[in-house]
Amino acid sequence: MRGSTEDDGTAAGPGPGSGPVASGPAATGPAPAAGKERASAGPEARPGTPGAAPGGPSPARSEGKRLHPVTPWRRAWAPVAGLVAFSVHDFERTREWFTHLTTGWLLAAFGVLLPVAAAYGFFSWWFTSYLVTDTELRIRTGLVFRRTAHIRLDRVQAVDVSRPLLARVAGVAKLKLDVVGTEAKDELAFLGEREAVALRAELLARAAGIAPEAAPEAGEAPARELLRVDMRTLVTGLLLMGTGWGALLATLLVPAVVYLASDSILGALAALVPALGGVWASTGGRFLKEYDWTVAESPDGLRLDHGLLDRDHATVPPGRVQSVRISEPLLWRRRGWVRVELEIAGAGKDKGGVLIPVAPRAEAAGVLARILPGTDLAAAADVAAPVPRRARWCVPVLWRGYGYGSTAAVFVTRSGLVARRVTLVPHAKVQSVRLSQGPWQRRMRLADVAVDHGANGWTAARLRDAEEARALVHAQAERSRTGRREARPERWMTGGGAEPGDAAAGGSQTPPSA
């Protein structure tokens, strides 16, 4: 459960349909009703003993922990940023004010602003804490309006560690939690690097069902490296992609056209700035983000480590992958390279994204087989049958890129001529199937069959024969029902999906160096 309430010392017990319940003492006794106070007999008792309340903190954790002392400096920028935003919003008035201010008044203003910003940062840090209980993680925030987020541990799907450049210099890290049923993420920013790694390991162990008293000693689950993208491959792949060259061409042409049309240098500069931003995002920015991209397999999912300046450590829970998109830019095909992207249920835009930035098809197929067991990448691409030839009257030229197929595990669609894209949706993740047919498609006896999945996304088998499309709707609905009955658990730790699964048994491992 995740909420925004005043802290009243309550803890929500697992509800129907929730993930695995922790074994051992933490699982004994009924869960307290929501909104009622915990029973307490004097001091906090250990869970599972008379007088202990399930979900209550252990004696050693009756008080919440504060974030790293460097955090106030990060939060002190909020008042300054607000003042800057106000100044930009009404720039003319701000400029008029500054023309009437003397140097002494400016120094006095900064003398007031800086202590206020420092005080805001300090008190916001002072009133922020977190507490791990037997059933949930509580995050208390708020300087004026107090807020307590109750995050049930059995609903935690992934815990990501992010280390921006300045945070790496200061030896701290940010912890982001991916929870079932929520789009926004709660985060703890910042913790010491060792503390962040240890807390991440404990939360994942608790989410997998390890007893509360054993979880802190379980340590980081072991991982086995599956793929690493070397720098030469990454740079070559970026140079062979058309997006960077297209953005560069727009940077050269658009400002020139604006200047010729308006005879204004300011207008040309205004067009140049976003164009340069597009060039950076598709070249340098992507290189910094995807540098040293590593995919490793562990009992809690696939771990992604990447980044040159800002180092990110993310976990992909395979059971929540709703669709996989494989892209093949035109200039990559001769080398046999592909790019793999994912859509993940409930993860939001910042989590669903790249699984493999660039890799040979055979290596990508090996990683894909860990997420979609029983799926052969080559076979899935081959089953994508082309559309009927009469489809050229509906979509000239591009009709040649469309295709559809189905294997025992996934629904397959293909699109694109210059940049070919193959989308795979596991049958178990299909939420609905629908047939659509426009007036011109009816004339050509064609129809589209779209499938919706759990990440609020969809893909479509376009321009299929109308009779084939009607039969496909019923066949896919049946495949989806069968797939859901045979689906694996959403967590590897509970389903035994990964080879290095020793950590799921509560074995002790030594956390890796941060």
Side-chain angles (χ1 to χ4, degrees):
M1 181 179 68
R2 180 176 176 275
S4 176
T5 60
E6 292 291 336
D7 180 34
D8 57 1
T10 61
S18 62
V21 180
S23 61
T28 62
K36 296 183 179 181
E37 293 186 1
R38 291 187 289 105
S40 176
E44 295 277 358
R46 285 190 62 84
T49 60
S58 61
R61 298 191 176 192
S62 58
E63 297 295 333
K65 293 185 177 181
R66 289 195 176 91
L67 305 179
H68 194 276
V70 78
T71 306
W73 296 102
R74 167 192 178 242
R75 298 186 173 182
W77 286 99
V80 179
L83 184 60
V84 171
F86 175 78
S87 301
V88 172
H89 178 71
D90 197 347
F91 181 74
E92 291 298 328
R93 179 175 295 181
T94 302
R95 187 177 65 175
E96 182 180 349
W97 285 349
F98 269 91
T99 57
H100 291 84
L101 289 177
T102 63
T103 304
W105 278 107
L106 286 174
L107 293 176
F110 278 104
V112 173
L113 177 63
L114 293 181
V116 169
Y120 172 83
F122 173 79
F123 283 110
S124 63
W125 166 77
W126 183 263
F127 287 104
T128 300
S129 63
Y130 71 93
L131 177 66
V132 182
T133 72
D134 289 340
T135 59
E136 65 185 17
L137 169 67
R138 300 176 187 173
I139 304 178
R140 299 182 176 92
T141 57
L143 179 59
V144 179
F145 300 99
R146 299 290 289 155
R147 172 183 177 271
T148 301
H150 297 260
I151 303 171
R152 277 174 42 182
L153 297 178
D154 60 2
R155 306 290 284 178
V156 173
Q157 289 292 317
V159 183
D160 300 337
V161 178
S162 176
R163 300 179 179 92
L165 177 61
L166 294 179
R168 292 171 66 185
V169 173
V172 296
K174 180 189 301 184
L175 215 63
K176 295 182 179 180
L177 295 100
D178 183 11
V179 183
V180 174
T182 62
E183 289 290 339
K185 290 186 178 181
D186 282 292
E187 66 177 29
L188 295 173
F190 288 93
L191 301 173
E193 285 192 356
R194 292 184 179 275
E195 182 182 2
V197 171
L199 180 59
R200 174 188 180 277
E202 178 183 353
L203 293 178
L204 290 176
R206 297 278 293 279
I210 295 178
E213 61 271 16
E217 288 75 33
E220 188 87 339
R224 178 172 64 91
E225 184 176 304
L226 298 178
L227 180 145
R228 182 183 293 269
V229 180
D230 62 85
M231 186 173 67
R232 181 177 179 180
T233 302
L234 178 60
V235 172
T236 305
L238 291 176
L239 292 176
L240 293 179
M241 288 189 70
T243 53
W245 296 107
L248 181 61
L249 183 61
T251 302
L252 298 176
L253 294 181
V254 173
V257 171
V258 171
Y259 178 75
L260 292 176
S262 63
D263 197 24
S264 171
I265 296 179
L266 291 178
L269 290 175
L272 178 63
V273 171
L276 289 174
V279 172
W280 172 256
S282 57
T283 55
R286 179 171 286 184
F287 173 79
L288 294 179
K289 181 179 180 181
E290 298 176 354
Y291 176 82
D292 192 29
W293 192 285
T294 304
V295 182
E297 181 186 40
S298 74
D300 47 22
L302 291 184
R303 295 180 184 172
L304 308 180
D305 290 275
H306 57 92
L308 179 59
L309 301 181
D310 297 348
R311 193 71 183 168
D312 288 326
H313 176 97
T315 304
V316 177
R320 296 184 63 212
V321 173
Q322 306 296 305
S323 74
V324 178
R325 183 170 61 252
I326 300 146
S327 303
E328 294 179 275
L330 179 63
L331 299 180
W332 285 16
R333 294 180 199 169
R334 184 176 179 181
R335 297 172 178 264
W337 290 353
V338 297
R339 179 182 178 89
V340 182
E341 299 174 328
L342 305 175
E343 288 191 77
I344 301 174
K349 295 181 180 180
D350 60 332
K351 182 67 180 295
V354 180
L355 174 66
I356 303 173
V358 54
R361 177 183 289 270
E363 296 183 16
V367 176
L368 186 62
R370 304 306 302 166
I371 291 182
L372 304 177
T375 300
D376 185 341
L377 179 57
D382 290 341
V383 301
V387 301
R389 188 172 179 80
R390 62 181 181 274
R392 68 184 185 277
W393 300 110
C394 294
V395 183
V397 182
L398 297 179
W399 68 276
R400 295 179 180 274
Y402 293 116
Y404 152 77
S406 179
T407 70
V410 292
F411 180 91
V412 184
T413 63
R414 186 186 66 209
S415 62
L417 285 177
V418 177
R420 184 182 300 160
R421 291 177 296 275
V422 176
T423 302
L424 312 177
V425 180
H427 296 313
K429 304 303 181 182
V430 173
Q431 303 292 317
S432 64
V433 186
R434 47 195 170 87
L435 183 145
S436 60
Q437 192 178 38
W440 191 246
Q441 287 180 320
R442 284 196 297 271
R443 175 78 175 177
M444 293 291 106
R445 304 187 313 280
L446 300 171
D448 297 341
V449 177
V451 298
D452 303 286
H453 53 72
N456 295 325
W458 60 278
T459 188
R462 295 207 57 195
L463 304 176
R464 309 308 303 177
D465 179 81
E467 293 300 323
E468 177 194 3
R470 293 187 183 94
L472 172 58
V473 170
H474 298 288
Q476 183 56 45
E478 180 60 32
R479 283 192 291 262
S480 300
R481 284 191 290 268
T482 303
R484 282 191 289 271
R485 286 195 298 267
E486 300 175 354
R488 300 191 322 165
E490 290 195 349
R491 297 183 183 90
W492 281 7
M493 279 185 171
T494 59
E499 293 176 5
D502 298 337
S508 177
Q509 288 86 29
T510 302
S513 172

